[in-house]
Amino acid sequence: MRTKLVAGNWKQHGSLATNIDLLAAVREGAAGLKAEMAVCVPYPYLAQARSVLDGGRVAWGAQDVSEHLQGAYTGEVGAAMLVDFDVRYVIVGHSERRACYGDTDAVVAAKFDAARQAGLTPILCVGETLAEREAGITGKVVTRQLDAVIARCGAAALADAVVAYEPVWAIGTGKTATLLQAQEVHALIRARIVTDDRTVGEELRILYGGSVKPGNAAELFSQPDIDGGLIGGAALVAADFLAICAAC
Ligand code: PGA
Protein backbone atom coordinates (compact mmCIF):
# COMPACT_ATOMS: atom_id res chain seq x y z
CA MET A 1 0.00 0.00 0.00
CA ARG A 2 1.53 3.32 -1.07
CA THR A 3 0.94 6.21 1.35
CA LYS A 4 0.27 9.44 -0.49
CA LEU A 5 2.90 12.18 -0.15
CA VAL A 6 2.51 15.88 -0.79
CA ALA A 7 5.73 17.88 -0.89
CA GLY A 8 5.91 21.64 -1.21
CA ASN A 9 8.71 23.15 -3.28
CA TRP A 10 9.13 26.71 -2.10
CA LYS A 11 11.77 27.47 -4.77
CA GLN A 12 13.54 30.80 -4.13
CA HIS A 13 10.76 32.28 -2.02
CA GLY A 14 10.36 33.25 1.62
CA SER A 15 12.00 35.22 4.39
CA LEU A 16 12.58 34.53 8.06
CA ALA A 17 9.76 36.92 8.88
CA THR A 18 7.13 35.53 6.50
CA ASN A 19 8.02 31.84 6.80
CA ILE A 20 6.92 31.69 10.43
CA ASP A 21 3.22 32.07 9.72
CA LEU A 22 3.33 29.71 6.75
CA LEU A 23 5.22 26.97 8.62
CA ALA A 24 3.07 27.31 11.74
CA ALA A 25 -0.16 27.16 9.75
CA VAL A 26 1.02 24.11 7.81
CA ARG A 27 2.08 22.36 11.00
CA GLU A 28 -1.23 23.08 12.68
CA GLY A 29 -3.38 22.23 9.65
CA ALA A 30 -1.52 18.98 9.02
CA ALA A 31 -2.45 17.55 12.40
CA GLY A 32 -5.73 16.07 11.21
CA LEU A 33 -4.63 14.92 7.74
CA LYS A 34 -3.69 11.43 6.57
CA ALA A 35 -1.18 12.12 3.79
CA GLU A 36 2.53 12.34 4.43
CA MET A 37 3.65 15.93 4.02
CA ALA A 38 6.89 17.81 3.53
CA VAL A 39 8.10 21.28 2.65
CA CYS A 40 11.33 21.75 0.68
CA VAL A 41 12.66 25.15 1.67
CA PRO A 42 15.71 27.21 0.65
CA TYR A 43 18.87 26.11 2.51
CA PRO A 44 19.04 29.13 4.86
CA TYR A 45 15.59 28.30 6.22
CA LEU A 46 16.20 24.66 7.09
CA ALA A 47 16.96 25.50 10.73
CA GLN A 48 13.80 27.54 10.95
CA ALA A 49 11.72 24.81 9.32
CA ARG A 50 13.13 22.30 11.79
CA SER A 51 12.40 24.49 14.78
CA VAL A 52 8.77 25.07 13.76
CA LEU A 53 7.96 21.63 12.32
CA ASP A 54 9.87 19.32 14.68
CA GLY A 55 7.54 16.89 16.45
CA GLY A 56 4.68 17.51 14.01
CA ARG A 57 3.47 15.63 10.94
CA VAL A 58 5.26 17.71 8.31
CA ALA A 59 8.82 16.78 7.29
CA TRP A 60 11.24 19.30 5.82
CA GLY A 61 13.55 19.02 2.89
CA ALA A 62 15.95 20.78 0.55
CA GLN A 63 15.67 21.58 -3.15
CA ASP A 64 19.07 20.41 -4.34
CA VAL A 65 22.27 18.82 -3.06
CA SER A 66 25.89 18.66 -4.17
CA GLU A 67 27.01 15.55 -6.01
CA HIS A 68 30.25 15.76 -3.99
CA LEU A 69 30.65 14.61 -0.41
CA GLN A 70 32.78 17.65 0.49
CA GLY A 71 35.65 19.71 -0.82
CA ALA A 72 36.55 22.85 -2.71
CA TYR A 73 33.14 23.40 -4.32
CA THR A 74 32.25 27.01 -3.59
CA GLY A 75 28.54 27.55 -3.10
CA GLU A 76 27.64 23.88 -2.83
CA VAL A 77 25.82 22.17 0.04
CA GLY A 78 26.57 18.52 0.76
CA ALA A 79 24.16 15.79 1.79
CA ALA A 80 25.80 15.39 5.21
CA MET A 81 25.18 19.08 5.86
CA LEU A 82 21.49 18.51 5.18
CA VAL A 83 21.52 15.58 7.59
CA ASP A 84 22.83 18.02 10.23
CA PHE A 85 19.47 19.77 9.91
CA ASP A 86 17.45 16.54 10.14
CA VAL A 87 16.35 16.89 6.54
CA ARG A 88 14.38 13.92 5.22
CA TYR A 89 13.73 14.77 1.55
CA VAL A 90 15.84 16.40 -1.12
CA ILE A 91 14.66 17.29 -4.61
CA VAL A 92 17.12 16.31 -7.36
CA GLY A 93 16.86 16.99 -11.08
CA HIS A 94 14.17 19.65 -10.93
CA SER A 95 13.68 20.97 -14.46
CA GLU A 96 14.70 24.47 -13.35
CA ARG A 97 18.08 23.08 -12.28
CA ARG A 98 18.39 21.01 -15.44
CA ALA A 99 17.53 24.03 -17.63
CA CYS A 100 19.26 26.90 -15.77
CA TYR A 101 22.20 25.28 -13.97
CA GLY A 102 23.29 22.57 -16.36
CA ASP A 103 22.30 19.56 -14.29
CA THR A 104 22.73 16.77 -16.82
CA ASP A 105 21.25 13.29 -16.37
CA ALA A 106 24.67 12.14 -15.09
CA VAL A 107 24.90 14.97 -12.55
CA VAL A 108 21.36 14.30 -11.37
CA ALA A 109 22.24 10.62 -10.92
CA ALA A 110 25.33 11.62 -8.89
CA LYS A 111 23.22 13.92 -6.70
CA PHE A 112 20.66 11.14 -6.22
CA ASP A 113 23.47 8.82 -5.20
CA ALA A 114 24.97 11.35 -2.76
CA ALA A 115 21.58 11.95 -1.15
CA ARG A 116 20.87 8.26 -0.71
CA GLN A 117 24.27 7.47 0.69
CA ALA A 118 23.68 10.09 3.38
CA GLY A 119 20.34 8.48 4.26
CA LEU A 120 18.18 11.19 2.68
CA THR A 121 15.16 10.40 0.51
CA PRO A 122 15.69 11.88 -2.96
CA ILE A 123 12.69 13.19 -4.87
CA LEU A 124 13.86 12.59 -8.43
CA CYS A 125 12.16 14.92 -10.91
CA VAL A 126 11.64 13.85 -14.50
CA GLY A 127 9.60 15.39 -17.27
CA GLU A 128 9.51 16.55 -20.86
CA THR A 129 9.47 20.01 -22.41
CA LEU A 130 6.61 21.14 -24.63
CA ALA A 131 8.77 20.62 -27.73
CA GLU A 132 9.56 17.07 -26.62
CA ARG A 133 5.88 16.33 -26.00
CA GLU A 134 4.93 17.72 -29.37
CA ALA A 135 7.65 15.65 -31.00
CA GLY A 136 6.08 12.55 -29.43
CA ILE A 137 9.15 11.65 -27.38
CA THR A 138 7.80 12.10 -23.83
CA GLY A 139 8.27 8.42 -22.97
CA LYS A 140 11.77 8.38 -24.41
CA VAL A 141 12.84 11.47 -22.44
CA VAL A 142 11.41 10.29 -19.12
CA THR A 143 12.90 6.82 -19.59
CA ARG A 144 16.31 8.31 -20.39
CA GLN A 145 16.16 10.43 -17.20
CA LEU A 146 15.23 7.37 -15.11
CA ASP A 147 17.79 5.15 -16.79
CA ALA A 148 20.65 7.48 -15.82
CA VAL A 149 19.81 6.92 -12.15
CA ILE A 150 19.23 3.19 -12.59
CA ALA A 151 22.56 2.83 -14.43
CA ARG A 152 24.41 4.47 -11.57
CA CYS A 153 22.53 3.22 -8.50
CA GLY A 154 20.44 0.24 -9.65
CA ALA A 155 16.63 0.00 -9.64
CA ALA A 156 16.67 -1.23 -6.04
CA ALA A 157 17.93 2.23 -4.99
CA LEU A 158 14.51 3.59 -5.86
CA ALA A 159 13.13 1.73 -2.85
CA ASP A 160 14.41 4.65 -0.76
CA ALA A 161 13.31 7.34 -3.16
CA VAL A 162 10.35 9.16 -4.64
CA VAL A 163 9.91 10.08 -8.30
CA ALA A 164 8.09 13.24 -9.38
CA TYR A 165 6.75 13.52 -12.90
CA GLU A 166 6.71 17.19 -13.80
CA PRO A 167 5.93 18.08 -17.40
CA VAL A 168 8.05 21.22 -17.89
CA TRP A 169 5.27 22.94 -19.80
CA ALA A 170 2.94 22.60 -16.79
CA ILE A 171 5.29 24.11 -14.18
CA GLY A 172 4.17 27.52 -12.99
CA THR A 173 2.15 28.02 -16.16
CA GLY A 174 -1.34 27.27 -14.87
CA LYS A 175 -1.50 24.46 -17.47
CA THR A 176 -1.98 21.07 -15.84
CA ALA A 177 -1.52 17.80 -17.67
CA THR A 178 -4.85 16.10 -18.31
CA LEU A 179 -5.61 13.11 -16.11
CA LEU A 180 -4.95 10.85 -19.05
CA GLN A 181 -1.61 12.50 -19.94
CA ALA A 182 -0.42 12.34 -16.33
CA GLN A 183 -1.60 8.80 -15.61
CA GLU A 184 -0.07 7.56 -18.87
CA VAL A 185 3.42 8.82 -17.95
CA HIS A 186 3.10 7.67 -14.33
CA ALA A 187 2.21 4.18 -15.53
CA LEU A 188 5.18 4.23 -17.91
CA ILE A 189 7.54 5.24 -15.08
CA ARG A 190 6.24 2.45 -12.86
CA ALA A 191 6.46 -0.09 -15.67
CA ARG A 192 10.08 0.90 -16.31
CA ILE A 193 11.02 0.21 -12.69
CA VAL A 194 8.90 -2.96 -12.49
CA THR A 195 10.89 -4.34 -15.43
CA ASP A 196 14.00 -4.32 -13.23
CA ASP A 197 12.43 -4.86 -9.81
CA ARG A 198 8.74 -5.68 -9.43
CA THR A 199 8.43 -4.92 -5.72
CA VAL A 200 10.32 -1.64 -5.89
CA GLY A 201 8.25 -0.55 -8.89
CA GLU A 202 4.95 -1.42 -7.25
CA GLU A 203 5.89 0.32 -4.00
CA LEU A 204 7.44 3.42 -5.62
CA ARG A 205 5.67 6.68 -4.92
CA ILE A 206 5.30 8.73 -8.08
CA LEU A 207 4.20 12.32 -7.49
CA TYR A 208 2.69 14.61 -10.10
CA GLY A 209 3.90 18.20 -10.27
CA GLY A 210 2.89 21.10 -12.47
CA SER A 211 0.23 23.64 -11.50
CA VAL A 212 -1.44 21.41 -8.89
CA LYS A 213 -4.10 23.45 -7.09
CA PRO A 214 -6.87 22.75 -4.58
CA GLY A 215 -9.29 22.57 -7.52
CA ASN A 216 -7.52 19.83 -9.48
CA ALA A 217 -5.67 17.87 -6.77
CA ALA A 218 -8.38 15.34 -5.89
CA GLU A 219 -8.92 14.14 -9.45
CA LEU A 220 -5.17 13.91 -10.12
CA PHE A 221 -4.57 11.98 -6.90
CA SER A 222 -7.40 9.57 -7.72
CA GLN A 223 -5.47 8.20 -10.71
CA PRO A 224 -4.11 4.70 -10.04
CA ASP A 225 -0.42 5.59 -10.45
CA ILE A 226 -0.42 9.12 -8.97
CA ASP A 227 0.71 8.92 -5.36
CA GLY A 228 0.63 12.58 -4.42
CA GLY A 229 2.10 15.84 -5.62
CA LEU A 230 5.09 18.12 -5.77
CA ILE A 231 3.63 21.56 -5.29
CA GLY A 232 5.27 24.85 -6.26
CA GLY A 233 3.21 28.04 -6.23
CA ALA A 234 0.34 26.65 -4.17
CA ALA A 235 2.76 25.55 -1.42
CA LEU A 236 3.37 29.21 -0.56
CA VAL A 237 -0.23 29.66 0.62
CA ALA A 238 -0.98 27.57 3.71
CA ALA A 239 -4.68 27.15 2.97
CA ASP A 240 -4.00 25.99 -0.58
CA PHE A 241 -1.22 23.60 0.42
CA LEU A 242 -3.37 22.09 3.17
CA ALA A 243 -6.36 21.77 0.82
CA ILE A 244 -4.13 19.86 -1.62
CA CYS A 245 -2.90 17.62 1.23
CA ALA A 246 -6.50 17.04 2.32
CA ALA A 247 -7.38 15.98 -1.26
CA CYS A 248 -5.28 12.83 -0.77
P1 PGA B 1 4.07 24.67 -9.74
O1 PGA B 1 5.55 24.10 -9.58
O2 PGA B 1 3.18 23.90 -8.80
O3 PGA B 1 4.17 26.13 -9.38
O4 PGA B 1 3.68 24.46 -11.17
C1 PGA B 1 5.80 22.74 -9.39
C2 PGA B 1 7.28 22.49 -9.28
O5 PGA B 1 8.06 23.15 -9.96
O6 PGA B 1 7.71 21.61 -8.50
Side-chain angles (χ1 to χ4, degrees), residues 7-9 11 91 94-96 125 164 166-167 170-175 208-213 230-235:
N9 172 12
K11 309 194 180 186
I91 297 171
H94 190 281
S95 61
E96 286 152 15
C125 296
E166 299 205 311
I171 295 176
T173 56
K175 279 189 209 157
Y208 170 80
S211 300
V212 179
K213 303 179 222 46
L230 183 57
I231 318 300

mmCIF file of all heavy atoms in Angstrom, residues 7-9 11 91 94-96 125 164 166-167 170-175 208-213 230-235, ligand 1:
data_model
loop_
_atom_site.group_PDB
_atom_site.id
_atom_site.type_symbol
_atom_site.label_atom_id
_atom_site.label_comp_id
_atom_site.label_asym_id
_atom_site.label_seq_id
_atom_site.Cartn_x
_atom_site.Cartn_y
_atom_site.Cartn_z
ATOM 1 N N ALA A 7 4.539 17.105 -1.245
ATOM 2 C CA ALA A 7 5.730 17.879 -0.888
ATOM 3 C C ALA A 7 5.634 19.263 -1.514
ATOM 4 O O ALA A 7 5.333 19.399 -2.701
ATOM 5 C CB ALA A 7 6.985 17.161 -1.391
ATOM 6 N N GLY A 8 5.875 20.274 -0.697
ATOM 7 C CA GLY A 8 5.907 21.643 -1.211
ATOM 8 C C GLY A 8 7.311 21.971 -1.676
ATOM 9 O O GLY A 8 8.286 21.560 -1.053
ATOM 10 N N ASN A 9 7.412 22.666 -2.782
ATOM 11 C CA ASN A 9 8.708 23.147 -3.279
ATOM 12 C C ASN A 9 8.624 24.671 -3.268
ATOM 13 O O ASN A 9 8.012 25.265 -4.148
ATOM 14 C CB ASN A 9 8.936 22.604 -4.699
ATOM 15 C CG ASN A 9 10.170 23.212 -5.353
ATOM 16 O OD1 ASN A 9 10.984 23.860 -4.692
ATOM 17 N ND2 ASN A 9 10.308 23.000 -6.654
ATOM 18 N N LYS A 11 10.861 26.801 -3.817
ATOM 19 C CA LYS A 11 11.774 27.466 -4.765
ATOM 20 C C LYS A 11 12.476 28.624 -4.051
ATOM 21 O O LYS A 11 12.715 28.552 -2.846
ATOM 22 C CB LYS A 11 11.008 27.896 -6.017
ATOM 23 C CG LYS A 11 10.187 26.734 -6.606
ATOM 24 C CD LYS A 11 9.683 26.981 -7.985
ATOM 25 C CE LYS A 11 8.893 25.755 -8.441
ATOM 26 N NZ LYS A 11 8.479 25.830 -9.821
ATOM 27 N N ILE A 91 15.031 17.312 -3.199
ATOM 28 C CA ILE A 91 14.661 17.290 -4.614
ATOM 29 C C ILE A 91 15.948 17.212 -5.441
ATOM 30 O O ILE A 91 16.903 17.944 -5.168
ATOM 31 C CB ILE A 91 13.888 18.582 -4.979
ATOM 32 C CG1 ILE A 91 12.570 18.663 -4.189
ATOM 33 C CG2 ILE A 91 13.617 18.651 -6.483
ATOM 34 C CD1 ILE A 91 11.854 20.008 -4.323
ATOM 35 N N HIS A 94 15.303 18.786 -10.561
ATOM 36 C CA HIS A 94 14.166 19.648 -10.930
ATOM 37 C C HIS A 94 14.462 20.291 -12.290
ATOM 38 O O HIS A 94 15.608 20.639 -12.582
ATOM 39 C CB HIS A 94 13.945 20.723 -9.861
ATOM 40 C CG HIS A 94 12.657 21.458 -10.075
ATOM 41 N ND1 HIS A 94 12.526 22.458 -11.013
ATOM 42 C CD2 HIS A 94 11.435 21.304 -9.512
ATOM 43 C CE1 HIS A 94 11.266 22.892 -11.004
ATOM 44 N NE2 HIS A 94 10.583 22.209 -10.108
ATOM 45 N N SER A 95 13.451 20.470 -13.093
ATOM 46 C CA SER A 95 13.678 20.967 -14.464
ATOM 47 C C SER A 95 14.306 22.356 -14.464
ATOM 48 O O SER A 95 15.024 22.710 -15.403
ATOM 49 C CB SER A 95 12.378 20.972 -15.256
ATOM 50 O OG SER A 95 11.442 21.817 -14.646
ATOM 51 N N GLU A 96 14.066 23.139 -13.400
ATOM 52 C CA GLU A 96 14.702 24.465 -13.349
ATOM 53 C C GLU A 96 16.212 24.317 -13.166
ATOM 54 O O GLU A 96 16.994 25.104 -13.694
ATOM 55 C CB GLU A 96 14.057 25.307 -12.237
ATOM 56 C CG GLU A 96 12.667 25.771 -12.666
ATOM 57 C CD GLU A 96 11.682 26.000 -11.533
ATOM 58 O OE1 GLU A 96 12.101 26.082 -10.370
ATOM 59 O OE2 GLU A 96 10.476 26.091 -11.840
ATOM 60 N N CYS A 125 13.105 14.323 -9.960
ATOM 61 C CA CYS A 125 12.162 14.924 -10.911
ATOM 62 C C CYS A 125 12.510 14.525 -12.341
ATOM 63 O O CYS A 125 13.678 14.575 -12.737
ATOM 64 C CB CYS A 125 12.206 16.441 -10.818
ATOM 65 S SG CYS A 125 11.678 17.073 -9.223
ATOM 66 N N ALA A 164 9.127 12.240 -9.071
ATOM 67 C CA ALA A 164 8.087 13.239 -9.377
ATOM 68 C C ALA A 164 8.071 13.456 -10.879
ATOM 69 O O ALA A 164 9.096 13.811 -11.476
ATOM 70 C CB ALA A 164 8.383 14.545 -8.655
ATOM 71 N N GLU A 166 7.078 15.790 -13.630
ATOM 72 C CA GLU A 166 6.705 17.192 -13.798
ATOM 73 C C GLU A 166 6.887 17.600 -15.255
ATOM 74 O O GLU A 166 8.013 17.933 -15.670
ATOM 75 C CB GLU A 166 7.577 18.084 -12.911
ATOM 76 C CG GLU A 166 7.446 17.799 -11.431
ATOM 77 C CD GLU A 166 7.810 19.016 -10.580
ATOM 78 O OE1 GLU A 166 8.876 19.615 -10.814
ATOM 79 O OE2 GLU A 166 7.026 19.358 -9.696
ATOM 80 N N PRO A 167 5.795 17.592 -16.025
ATOM 81 C CA PRO A 167 5.928 18.083 -17.398
ATOM 82 C C PRO A 167 6.362 19.546 -17.347
ATOM 83 O O PRO A 167 5.718 20.358 -16.675
ATOM 84 C CB PRO A 167 4.526 17.921 -17.986
ATOM 85 C CG PRO A 167 3.608 17.587 -16.857
ATOM 86 C CD PRO A 167 4.430 17.210 -15.674
ATOM 87 N N ALA A 170 4.033 22.425 -17.761
ATOM 88 C CA ALA A 170 2.945 22.603 -16.789
ATOM 89 C C ALA A 170 3.428 23.302 -15.516
ATOM 90 O O ALA A 170 2.631 23.620 -14.643
ATOM 91 C CB ALA A 170 2.339 21.241 -16.439
ATOM 92 N N ILE A 171 4.748 23.548 -15.419
ATOM 93 C CA ILE A 171 5.293 24.107 -14.177
ATOM 94 C C ILE A 171 5.122 25.611 -14.153
ATOM 95 O O ILE A 171 5.660 26.322 -15.004
ATOM 96 C CB ILE A 171 6.784 23.728 -14.008
ATOM 97 C CG1 ILE A 171 6.925 22.215 -13.836
ATOM 98 C CG2 ILE A 171 7.393 24.465 -12.821
ATOM 99 C CD1 ILE A 171 8.351 21.729 -13.749
ATOM 100 N N GLY A 172 4.345 26.079 -13.182
ATOM 101 C CA GLY A 172 4.174 27.523 -12.989
ATOM 102 C C GLY A 172 3.434 28.208 -14.122
ATOM 103 O O GLY A 172 3.436 29.431 -14.225
ATOM 104 N N THR A 173 2.800 27.435 -14.977
ATOM 105 C CA THR A 173 2.154 28.020 -16.156
ATOM 106 C C THR A 173 0.639 28.063 -16.017
ATOM 107 O O THR A 173 -0.037 28.681 -16.833
ATOM 108 C CB THR A 173 2.456 27.175 -17.416
ATOM 109 O OG1 THR A 173 2.024 25.823 -17.159
ATOM 110 C CG2 THR A 173 3.927 27.174 -17.746
ATOM 111 N N GLY A 174 0.113 27.374 -14.993
ATOM 112 C CA GLY A 174 -1.337 27.271 -14.868
ATOM 113 C C GLY A 174 -1.906 26.165 -15.749
ATOM 114 O O GLY A 174 -3.077 25.841 -15.684
ATOM 115 N N LYS A 175 -1.050 25.583 -16.609
ATOM 116 C CA LYS A 175 -1.498 24.461 -17.469
ATOM 117 C C LYS A 175 -1.194 23.159 -16.745
ATOM 118 O O LYS A 175 -0.039 22.873 -16.453
ATOM 119 C CB LYS A 175 -0.693 24.437 -18.768
ATOM 120 C CG LYS A 175 -1.143 25.372 -19.812
ATOM 121 C CD LYS A 175 -0.373 25.058 -21.096
ATOM 122 C CE LYS A 175 -0.251 26.330 -21.903
ATOM 123 N NZ LYS A 175 0.871 26.290 -22.838
ATOM 124 N N TYR A 208 2.888 13.745 -8.936
ATOM 125 C CA TYR A 208 2.688 14.606 -10.102
ATOM 126 C C TYR A 208 2.986 16.046 -9.683
ATOM 127 O O TYR A 208 2.595 16.470 -8.587
ATOM 128 C CB TYR A 208 1.243 14.502 -10.639
ATOM 129 C CG TYR A 208 1.012 15.563 -11.676
ATOM 130 C CD1 TYR A 208 1.475 15.391 -12.985
ATOM 131 C CD2 TYR A 208 0.429 16.789 -11.330
ATOM 132 C CE1 TYR A 208 1.356 16.402 -13.917
ATOM 133 C CE2 TYR A 208 0.302 17.804 -12.264
ATOM 134 C CZ TYR A 208 0.769 17.601 -13.561
ATOM 135 O OH TYR A 208 0.670 18.620 -14.467
ATOM 136 N N GLY A 209 3.657 16.784 -10.535
ATOM 137 C CA GLY A 209 3.897 18.204 -10.274
ATOM 138 C C GLY A 209 3.677 19.022 -11.525
ATOM 139 O O GLY A 209 3.988 18.579 -12.642
ATOM 140 N N GLY A 210 3.151 20.210 -11.337
ATOM 141 C CA GLY A 210 2.887 21.104 -12.466
ATOM 142 C C GLY A 210 1.511 21.708 -12.322
ATOM 143 O O GLY A 210 0.516 21.092 -12.703
ATOM 144 N N SER A 211 1.484 22.898 -11.686
ATOM 145 C CA SER A 211 0.230 23.640 -11.505
ATOM 146 C C SER A 211 -0.856 22.839 -10.775
ATOM 147 O O SER A 211 -2.030 22.910 -11.131
ATOM 148 C CB SER A 211 -0.286 24.159 -12.846
ATOM 149 O OG SER A 211 0.674 25.036 -13.427
ATOM 150 N N VAL A 212 -0.439 22.071 -9.749
ATOM 151 C CA VAL A 212 -1.445 21.415 -8.894
ATOM 152 C C VAL A 212 -2.050 22.484 -7.982
ATOM 153 O O VAL A 212 -1.339 23.308 -7.409
ATOM 154 C CB VAL A 212 -0.825 20.290 -8.031
ATOM 155 C CG1 VAL A 212 -1.894 19.660 -7.137
ATOM 156 C CG2 VAL A 212 -0.170 19.233 -8.909
ATOM 157 N N LYS A 213 -3.378 22.469 -7.895
ATOM 158 C CA LYS A 213 -4.097 23.453 -7.093
ATOM 159 C C LYS A 213 -5.175 22.723 -6.296
ATOM 160 O O LYS A 213 -5.485 21.558 -6.600
ATOM 161 C CB LYS A 213 -4.795 24.464 -8.023
ATOM 162 C CG LYS A 213 -3.887 25.203 -8.982
ATOM 163 C CD LYS A 213 -4.722 26.142 -9.834
ATOM 164 C CE LYS A 213 -4.403 26.214 -11.291
ATOM 165 N NZ LYS A 213 -4.177 25.102 -12.124
ATOM 166 N N LEU A 230 4.011 17.195 -6.087
ATOM 167 C CA LEU A 230 5.093 18.124 -5.774
ATOM 168 C C LEU A 230 4.549 19.502 -6.157
ATOM 169 O O LEU A 230 4.220 19.746 -7.320
ATOM 170 C CB LEU A 230 6.361 17.779 -6.567
ATOM 171 C CG LEU A 230 7.606 18.634 -6.292
ATOM 172 C CD1 LEU A 230 7.989 18.611 -4.810
ATOM 173 C CD2 LEU A 230 8.801 18.150 -7.119
ATOM 174 N N ILE A 231 4.443 20.356 -5.150
ATOM 175 C CA ILE A 231 3.630 21.563 -5.290
ATOM 176 C C ILE A 231 4.513 22.800 -5.222
ATOM 177 O O ILE A 231 5.193 23.010 -4.219
ATOM 178 C CB ILE A 231 2.581 21.647 -4.136
ATOM 179 C CG1 ILE A 231 1.929 20.284 -3.858
ATOM 180 C CG2 ILE A 231 1.551 22.728 -4.427
ATOM 181 C CD1 ILE A 231 1.182 19.674 -5.012
ATOM 182 N N GLY A 232 4.490 23.627 -6.263
ATOM 183 C CA GLY A 232 5.274 24.854 -6.259
ATOM 184 C C GLY A 232 4.467 26.018 -5.715
ATOM 185 O O GLY A 232 4.327 26.196 -4.505
ATOM 186 N N GLY A 233 3.910 26.809 -6.609
ATOM 187 C CA GLY A 233 3.208 28.044 -6.232
ATOM 188 C C GLY A 233 2.205 27.874 -5.102
ATOM 189 O O GLY A 233 2.169 28.679 -4.151
ATOM 190 N N ALA A 234 1.401 26.825 -5.172
ATOM 191 C CA ALA A 234 0.342 26.649 -4.172
ATOM 192 C C ALA A 234 0.895 26.274 -2.793
ATOM 193 O O ALA A 234 0.181 26.362 -1.794
ATOM 194 C CB ALA A 234 -0.659 25.595 -4.653
ATOM 195 N N ALA A 235 2.178 25.912 -2.723
ATOM 196 C CA ALA A 235 2.759 25.553 -1.423
ATOM 197 C C ALA A 235 3.119 26.796 -0.611
ATOM 198 O O ALA A 235 3.475 26.704 0.563
ATOM 199 C CB ALA A 235 4.008 24.697 -1.620
HETATM 200 P P1 PGA B 1 4.067 24.670 -9.744
HETATM 201 O O1 PGA B 1 5.552 24.104 -9.580
HETATM 202 O O2 PGA B 1 3.183 23.903 -8.797
HETATM 203 O O3 PGA B 1 4.171 26.134 -9.379
HETATM 204 O O4 PGA B 1 3.678 24.464 -11.167
HETATM 205 C C1 PGA B 1 5.797 22.736 -9.387
HETATM 206 C C2 PGA B 1 7.277 22.486 -9.278
HETATM 207 O O5 PGA B 1 8.060 23.154 -9.957
HETATM 208 O O6 PGA B 1 7.715 21.612 -8.499
#
